[in-house]
Amino acid sequence: MLVLCCAIMQSCAQEKRQDYLGNWIGSLPDKNSFNFKVTLESFGTNKYQFRIANAKPLITQNFISADNNHLQFSMDNQLNFNFNLANEGDKLKGYIKSGKFYYYVTLNRVAQNKFVGDWNPLLLDDGLVSDEFFLNIDYYNERLEAYPFLGDQRSRGFWTRDFTLKNDTLSFTDANTGFHFIAILKETIELELYLLDSLITKTTLTYSDEYWEHPPPPVIRNQNTSMPEKLDDGWDTGNIKDAGIDETALRTLIDSVHAKALVNTHSVLIAKNNKLVFEAYFDGFNVNIPHDLRSASKSISSAIIGIAIDDKIIESVDEKLYNFIPEAYQYTKDSLKAEIRLKDLLTMSSGLDVNNLAEEDYYQNSNNPDSWLETVLKAPMVKKPGTYADYGSANPFLLGVSLNERLNKPLEIYMNEKLFGPLGITNYVNQTDDTKNTPYFGGGMLLTSRDLLKFGQLYLNKGQWRGKQIISEKWVEESFTKHMRLQDVKDKNEYGYLWWHDTYVIGGRSIASIEARGAGGQFIFIVPELESVVVITAGNYRNRKGNQSREVFRDYILPAMLE
């Protein structure tokens, strides 16, 4: 049933026939429409057929590859595929690129010449938990714009753009997934969703005077403090008793989430002495769903820069930014900008106007005629580089652009070869910048909570994972050094190379934590004193509860560890 405060009247729909502004509600015919099966089959020498299907065939494409171990092709310059045959020979691993996302996907060999795998562009491995669908239509920027929402709160949602109205048909595109929408405007709205020109699903929407509310979250799982399940993902598991962690505090945490005292908490994981000892998921999230990390992935961007320095692709953090900037944008350089070093970007001290004309919402605004890079580089300097730190995503964004200019391979491939692959991370998404080709270092990668915990453990272990040195110990030490103090945040935290520092006082004892932080409550807490890493993910984006995850860490987890 749709969550409405009153019945929808036919007269309401007729009344809105002329402008279509307002709320429109319907339901999807199949909650599994976005669970795609991907098949790649060989037909003779270097000849392949690629297929995508849900309950019915969606896309079939034949192509020829010059290399049987590396399969790469594109469909209408919108859907791109890049797969490599894994060393063991029974898997194809690589990217499906759609919209602004690089989805890392694994296809398993099921026959001599056939590989099959799963791909859910919404990143919900178990399908949608609700069939409800909501569309808000507004008049903005002198045009009709439409904003769709799924009834499943776990979905990252759609970011629609490219609105075109022709006669009674409004078409638009989701920048995230690349889905194309066609809305036929009548007394009702007939809405169709496409991948390229293939119909994924469709629904009929009816106008409502009432505001739509998300349905309740899915059935609560029986969360407990038992030893986490050991999976084939590199994690050893243990129990909290052997780790010296108080069970009572963690049970209280679970009960508080269920009682909605800690709203929109999605996962809480604890690693102690290199073992995963506590793992809980809420609101329908599970071990297989990558979570939007927002700015917490800035710390991953820092790791990639460190690896590139270890590989001598970048000489040092003292290299100047404009040594990397393409010739077409060199005109933006002035005497102050010429002094910006990579170190200044890593420590948020570039001096650029990151709170105004180089602010993320400004350079990402779809009405901005300039590219993200040009907008940021044209922004004025407000401080001398390296002297004053203001937090802003433009700084790590420039790091990604810089590294991409130096590589002889795509940045996403380098990231996978050097970091994600060695950590055994195979279920993730890399978000791109406005080029739709280059991974965006300012934030927005999606990883599972276990994999995010791995990344934190890697740093706690001074760059090692399961005995292998992935990042140099020197880079970890430099990253954790307190280089600057952020001036535009409430606590004026000390800051490393895209890592936050904080201190929590528990029973009179001060505990230092080094943290990756992302909007909505995405956190990695690294606590060297306790040989522990904690990951918390949440969905508190617009309710002023973005710091609730810190409260969970301070009020529940640290007391449990210090019992």
Side-chain angles (χ1 to χ4, degrees):
M1 294 292 293
L2 296 173
V3 184
L4 298 175
C5 297
C6 69
I8 298 171
M9 304 300 293
Q10 180 66 27
S11 61
C12 291
Q14 293 172 345
E15 178 183 327
K16 301 297 290 188
R17 177 68 178 86
Q18 298 303 313
D19 59 24
Y20 304 102
L21 304 182
N23 303 326
W24 297 78
I25 302 175
S27 58
L28 299 173
D30 184 355
K31 292 188 293 186
N32 294 309
S33 295
F34 303 100
N35 286 2
F36 297 160
K37 187 68 67 176
V38 178
T39 303
L40 194 145
E41 195 164 0
S42 172
F43 293 97
T45 305
N46 297 338
K47 296 180 179 179
Y48 294 88
Q49 184 177 87
F50 189 87
R51 300 190 294 273
I52 297 177
N54 49 21
K56 65 183 188 304
L58 294 176
I59 293 174
T60 300
Q61 174 76 32
N62 294 329
F63 69 98
I64 296 176
S65 173
D67 184 349
N68 288 327
N69 293 320
H70 181 201
L71 309 178
Q72 185 174 6
F73 61 101
S74 175
M75 300 176 63
D76 294 338
N77 294 317
Q78 296 182 49
L79 201 58
N80 300 284
F81 307 88
N82 192 339
F83 286 93
N84 283 298
L85 189 65
N87 292 335
E88 56 269 30
D90 61 349
K91 298 178 186 295
L92 281 171
K93 296 182 178 181
Y95 295 99
I96 296 177
K97 172 67 169 54
S98 184
K100 63 188 297 186
F101 286 167
Y102 283 106
Y103 298 87
Y104 195 81
V105 175
T106 299
L107 307 182
N108 297 297
R109 188 190 296 273
V110 297
Q112 180 62 33
N113 298 317
K114 187 176 182 180
F115 294 84
V116 177
D118 297 318
W119 173 41
N120 186 306
L122 302 180
L123 304 171
L124 303 174
D125 68 312
D126 51 359
L128 297 171
V129 297
S130 169
D131 62 3
E132 294 185 24
F133 195 96
F134 170 77
L135 186 72
N136 174 261
I137 297 183
D138 199 358
Y139 192 77
Y140 187 66
N141 295 325
E142 300 184 348
R143 66 187 180 192
L144 280 185
E145 296 190 355
Y147 307 99
F149 299 88
L150 293 165
D152 193 325
Q153 296 185 57
R154 303 172 302 168
S155 168
R156 191 179 187 275
F158 300 112
W159 185 12
T160 50
R161 59 191 307 163
D162 302 331
F163 303 97
T164 302
L165 180 64
K166 185 176 182 181
N167 298 325
D168 63 350
T169 300
L170 178 65
S171 62
F172 48 98
T173 300
D174 173 40
N176 288 338
T177 61
F179 290 164
H180 185 63
F181 294 77
I182 294 179
I184 302 171
L185 309 176
K186 302 186 295 186
E187 282 76 15
T188 59
I189 293 180
E190 305 300 318
L191 186 70
E192 301 173 339
L193 280 76
Y194 289 85
L195 179 64
L196 297 184
D197 59 356
S198 298
L199 180 66
I200 301 171
T201 189
K202 61 182 179 179
T203 184
T204 300
L205 306 175
T206 308
Y207 176 75
S208 169
D209 278 325
E210 302 302 323
Y211 186 75
W212 176 78
E213 298 177 2
H214 267 109
V219 177
I220 295 174
R221 291 187 173 90
N222 182 26
Q223 302 293 357
N224 54 57
T225 57
S226 300
M227 181 187 298
E229 181 182 359
K230 185 172 175 58
L231 304 174
D232 186 22
D233 63 355
W235 273 113
D236 292 326
T237 60
N239 62 63
I240 57 174
K241 181 178 179 180
D242 291 342
I245 299 174
D246 178 50
E247 180 180 14
T248 302
L250 296 183
R251 285 189 178 277
T252 302
L253 167 60
I254 292 171
D255 292 343
S256 297
V257 175
H258 288 166
K260 299 303 179 184
L262 298 171
V263 297
N264 302 321
T265 299
H266 294 161
S267 72
V268 180
L269 285 76
I270 303 173
K272 174 81 171 179
N273 298 324
N274 285 291
K275 290 184 178 180
L276 174 64
V277 297
F278 179 77
E279 179 179 35
Y281 298 94
F282 307 94
D283 285 359
F285 281 84
N286 62 50
V287 68
N288 297 315
I289 297 178
H291 200 283
D292 186 356
L293 304 183
R294 300 294 174 103
S295 287
S297 63
K298 285 179 169 67
S299 302
I300 298 174
S301 302
S302 172
I304 300 299
I305 295 298
I307 291 171
I309 291 174
D310 293 341
D311 286 345
K312 303 189 184 311
I313 294 169
I314 296 172
E315 292 177 12
S316 76
V317 295
D318 291 318
E319 274 207 83
K320 299 293 179 61
L321 167 65
Y322 273 85
N323 290 347
F324 300 85
I325 296 301
E327 183 63 33
Y329 301 102
Q330 287 289 328
Y331 78 92
T332 62
K333 182 169 63 173
D334 60 27
S335 59
L336 270 182
K337 289 178 183 176
E339 296 304 313
I340 299 174
R341 304 166 298 168
L342 298 189
K343 182 175 183 177
D344 303 325
L345 302 175
L346 286 161
T347 57
M348 298 291 180
S349 60
S350 65
L352 283 164
D353 187 13
V354 296
N355 290 318
N356 190 13
L357 296 181
E359 198 267 334
E360 191 170 42
D361 286 344
Y362 184 78
Y363 65 78
Q364 291 190 11
N365 192 311
S366 59
N367 296 315
N368 182 5
D370 294 332
S371 70
W372 292 7
L373 180 58
E374 187 167 17
T375 301
V376 169
L377 293 177
K378 284 167 59 177
M381 297 289 286
V382 294
K383 297 290 181 181
K384 182 180 178 181
T387 65
Y388 188 96
D390 271 347
Y391 183 88
S393 295
N395 292 299
F397 163 56
L398 292 173
L399 287 170
V401 172
S402 298
L403 178 55
N404 189 60
E405 287 297 310
R406 282 280 174 89
L407 291 172
N408 59 8
K409 63 180 63 176
L411 178 54
E412 71 278 4
I413 300 295
Y414 184 76
M415 295 172 69
N416 188 71
E417 290 178 353
K418 295 295 184 174
L419 182 65
F420 296 137
L423 286 175
I425 296 175
T426 60
N427 179 17
Y428 69 91
V429 171
N430 236 327
Q431 181 185 185
T432 59
D433 61 21
D434 61 328
T435 67
K436 295 186 179 180
N437 290 311
T438 305
Y440 178 53
F441 270 30
M445 300 177 196
L446 292 93
L447 269 69
T448 67
S449 296
R450 278 196 176 206
D451 287 341
L452 190 59
L453 194 72
K454 281 183 193 177
F455 179 69
Q457 189 70 54
L458 173 71
Y459 268 75
L460 180 60
N461 291 348
K462 299 181 179 180
Q464 288 192 12
W465 172 252
R466 301 190 68 83
K468 181 178 180 180
Q469 197 77 38
I470 296 174
I471 306 172
S472 69
E473 183 175 345
K474 179 176 182 291
W475 182 256
V476 173
E477 291 174 352
E478 288 183 13
S479 298
F480 282 177
T481 298
K482 298 174 180 178
H483 294 281
M484 299 293 293
R485 188 178 290 275
L486 298 173
Q487 298 301 316
D488 59 346
V489 299
K490 179 182 177 181
D491 296 333
K492 290 185 166 43
N493 299 75
E494 292 177 297
Y495 201 70
Y497 287 169
L498 304 182
W499 286 95
W500 298 70
H501 286 267
D502 210 338
T503 300
Y504 300 82
V505 179
I506 310 297
R509 180 177 174 182
S510 295
I511 302 295
S513 174
I514 305 144
E515 302 170 3
R517 295 183 174 186
Q522 325 318 321
F523 280 81
I524 305 173
F525 302 90
I526 299 175
V527 191
E529 181 180 351
L530 302 179
E531 282 295 315
S532 298
V533 182
V534 175
V535 158
I536 301 176
T537 61
N540 291 307
Y541 299 111
R542 288 172 291 274
N543 58 4
R544 298 186 178 181
K545 291 185 178 291
N547 270 324
Q548 178 182 271
S549 295
R550 294 179 63 222
E551 296 167 6
V552 170
F553 179 66
R554 180 195 66 203
D555 297 341
Y556 296 87
I557 295 174
L558 282 179
M561 289 181 168
L562 295 173
E563 278 292 323

